Amino acid sequence: MPGKKILILGGGFGGAKAAITARSLLPVEHEVTLIDRNARTYVCGAMPLLIVGEREAEKTSRSLGRLAHRGVNFIQSEIKHLDLASKTVRTERGVLEYDYVIVGLGAEYNWDAVPGSRDAHSFYNIDGARRLRRRLSRFRRGRIVIAVSSTPYKCPPAPYEAAMIMRWHFKRTGASKDVDIHVYTPEDAPLPVAGQSACEELALAMAKRGISFHPKAAVNEISKDGRSAAFTDGSSMDADIVITIPAHRPASVAVEASLTGGKPWVPVNPATLETSMAGVFAIGDLNMVPMATGRPIPKAGVFASTEGDLTARVIASRILGTEPPPAFPGEGLCYLAYSGTQSGSVSGRFLAPGRPDVKFTRPSVSGMRAKERFESDWRRFRI
Ligand SMILES: Cc1cc2nc3c(=O)[nH]c(=O)nc-3n(C[C@H](O)[C@H](O)[C@H](O)COP(=O)(O)OP(=O)(O)OC[C@H]3O[C@@H](n4cnc5c(N)ncnc54)[C@H](O)[C@@H]3O)c2cc1C
């Protein structure tokens, strides 16, 4: 059998898992190549702890070069263009052909969607998280506003997690009574995907910690000096630190290749994650897998990883002529830390008929141990 070329675009949660699974299933005559602009990637789930000094950047990253030990070719390069007609990918380091391509380029941030957000604070990437950490380390009194720009955004619990971790941090530093924390979101309740009782528990947990929650209000402008935010409900708030959850959109390479087909995110067959083009798969944050409610499955690393694994199995079954794997199950678990020592979680079957069947687990020390194991497994490419 002539060797096939499998190209994986993006080495995040989804791409790395796809590469490892494809390599483990396919004989060596088939090439598995992963391309990413970065040599190192970061586990974003650690960012809310990193901003208060509870995680170190080196310990929250992994080197994609290490995939070579598993037989995966890794190319560090910017991907310029995906040409579906000629089945090629143009990178800064040349043009590559493929028989199968897995697009795992993630969501990118649209800083222009909310004027002023580019210069405001954010913990949604490593550089922003490091800058915010420096600011928080000197912060003793004043107001912090955490403001969601639009939905969907990565890791729906992250704004609430960050607010509660900050409260815990300021209690430790003795500044808590002088720090006022507010969270704004366009949604009706915190974490609607987890159901009403989870929303009530989370709202109560924030209220107990003196965190003010403002639903139905997306941030739509931040002043030039970064000290005032305006919201879609007509309100505004002055603050010493404004932190935004930026507007998200699919990676531009996928949009320019017309994979979105005029939709906000890349439509896929929910069972296989294949796009409308045969042999072209879209996994993770940039695709749209609808839940029974019609809303997209949350943008989370656990789903991206399961999807990467599944697409690699689908491709291997087609090359080897074996049984295809079972459909994408839509099951997953995300941690929600309340402090540096305790974490809860949100888990369940997100593609259950009717509505997502989701369980909300209260914070505990053992929950934090499980979160730490998750981060450590991720660093070792086990996730
Ligand atoms: C603050 C925060 C907390 C989070 N917490 C959790 C959590 O607790 N649990 C959880 O499961 N998920 C969490 N997430 C979500 C999780 O990080 C994402 O859902 C996951 O990373 C998506 O994986 P992906 O493979 O689709 O994309 P990514 O991981 O974003 O990977 C995309 C890759 O593509 C590369 N790329 C993009 N464009 C190009 C190009 N043109 N050329 C070359 N390379 C390119 C990027 O460099 C990147 O490495 C969190 C996210 C944030 C921001």
Side-chain angles (χ1 to χ4, degrees):
M1 185 196 313
K4 300 285 186 196
K5 292 182 194 313
I6 295 109
L7 270 192
I8 297 154
L9 313 187
F13 262 90
K17 185 68 182 179
I20 289 168
T21 302
R23 186 66 288 164
S24 71
L25 294 175
L26 289 166
V28 286
E29 63 267 27
H30 305 292
E31 273 176 35
V32 178
T33 303
L34 183 146
I35 314 168
D36 199 296
R37 58 161 74 102
N38 296 314
R40 296 195 83 79
T41 57
Y42 292 84
V43 61
C44 291
M47 300 301 170
L49 287 164
L50 186 141
I51 59 176
V52 299
E54 284 294 305
R55 290 287 186 278
E56 297 309 321
E58 317 77 68
K59 294 211 169 144
T60 58
S61 72
R62 63 187 184 188
S63 157
L64 294 176
R66 279 173 37 215
L67 289 172
H69 302 312
R70 297 170 183 248
V72 175
N73 305 320
F74 169 58
I75 300 175
Q76 186 187 354
S77 178
E78 183 71 24
I79 298 161
K80 296 292 196 184
H81 185 64
L82 162 63
D83 190 323
L84 301 174
S86 64
K87 292 182 139 189
T88 55
V89 171
R90 182 159 50 81
T91 75
E92 275 177 336
R93 295 175 58 182
V95 175
L96 291 103
E97 295 174 351
Y98 65 80
D99 297 292
Y100 296 93
V101 65
I102 300 176
V103 186
L105 295 168
E108 62 183 33
Y109 303 136
N110 179 5
W111 299 106
D112 296 327
V114 174
S117 66
R118 194 182 292 279
D119 299 321
H121 281 280
S122 187
F123 55 90
Y124 262 55
N125 57 36
I126 184 68
D127 293 339
R130 281 176 163 143
R131 180 174 157 240
L132 179 56
R133 175 178 170 139
R134 287 194 294 276
R135 180 76 178 94
L136 291 177
S137 70
R138 302 187 305 267
F139 197 68
R140 297 289 175 267
R141 71 175 53 230
R143 180 178 292 152
I144 298 174
V145 163
I146 302 175
V148 177
S149 307
S150 56
T151 59
Y153 61 89
K154 295 183 201 184
C155 190
Y160 312 109
E161 184 179 40
M164 290 194 289
I165 289 173
M166 278 187 215
R167 174 59 78 216
W168 171 81
H169 164 74
F170 290 120
K171 267 199 174 141
R172 259 192 334 173
T173 62
S176 193
K177 65 177 177 11
D178 297 320
V179 178
D180 187 22
I181 303 176
H182 295 255
V183 184
Y184 284 80
T185 177
E187 298 190 289
D188 299 349
L191 217 51
V193 70
Q196 198 182 334
S197 69
C199 287
E200 285 167 6
E201 266 201 52
L202 196 48
L204 189 65
M206 285 195 285
K208 270 191 186 160
R209 289 162 176 79
I211 297 164
S212 305
F213 174 61
H214 306 260
K216 298 185 195 169
V219 62
N220 60 5
E221 191 172 353
I222 295 158
S223 61
K224 284 211 168 68
D225 64 2
R227 296 176 73 97
S228 177
F231 302 93
T232 48
D233 64 354
S235 66
S236 62
M237 173 136 328
D238 291 341
D240 299 279
I241 304 179
V242 176
I243 300 168
T244 62
I245 311 304
H248 288 36
R249 62 185 175 200
S252 51
V253 168
V255 178
E256 284 155 18
S258 301
L259 281 179
T260 44
K263 298 272 188 334
W265 300 93
V266 180
V268 288
N269 173 340
T272 60
L273 292 321
E274 193 164 21
T275 66
S276 54
M277 287 289 289
V280 179
F281 297 80
I283 57 169
D285 284 353
L286 56 60
N287 74 15
M288 156 72 178
V289 175
M291 298 185 294
T293 53
R295 302 182 75 170
I297 201 166
K299 300 202 179 300
V302 282
F303 294 128
S305 173
T306 313
E307 292 179 11
D309 184 68
L310 173 75
T311 52
R313 289 177 190 281
V314 171
I315 292 170
S317 72
R318 289 189 192 167
I319 293 174
L320 303 173
T322 53
E323 275 293 301
F328 173 55
E331 287 171 11
L333 181 147
C334 266
Y335 294 98
L336 199 176
Y338 284 56
S339 68
T341 56
Q342 299 207 13
S343 179
S345 64
V346 184
S347 62
R349 299 183 304 126
F350 288 79
L351 297 181
R355 52 162 296 114
D357 175 17
V358 178
K359 191 167 139 222
F360 187 78
T361 308
R362 291 193 176 151
S364 64
V365 172
S366 59
M368 179 54 81
R369 293 285 95 80
K371 179 175 165 62
E372 287 164 359
R373 275 196 302 279
F374 175 84
E375 292 170 13
S376 149
D377 284 347
W378 176 87
R379 281 204 308 279
R380 292 173 170 76
F381 289 100
R382 290 185 185 147
I383 293 167

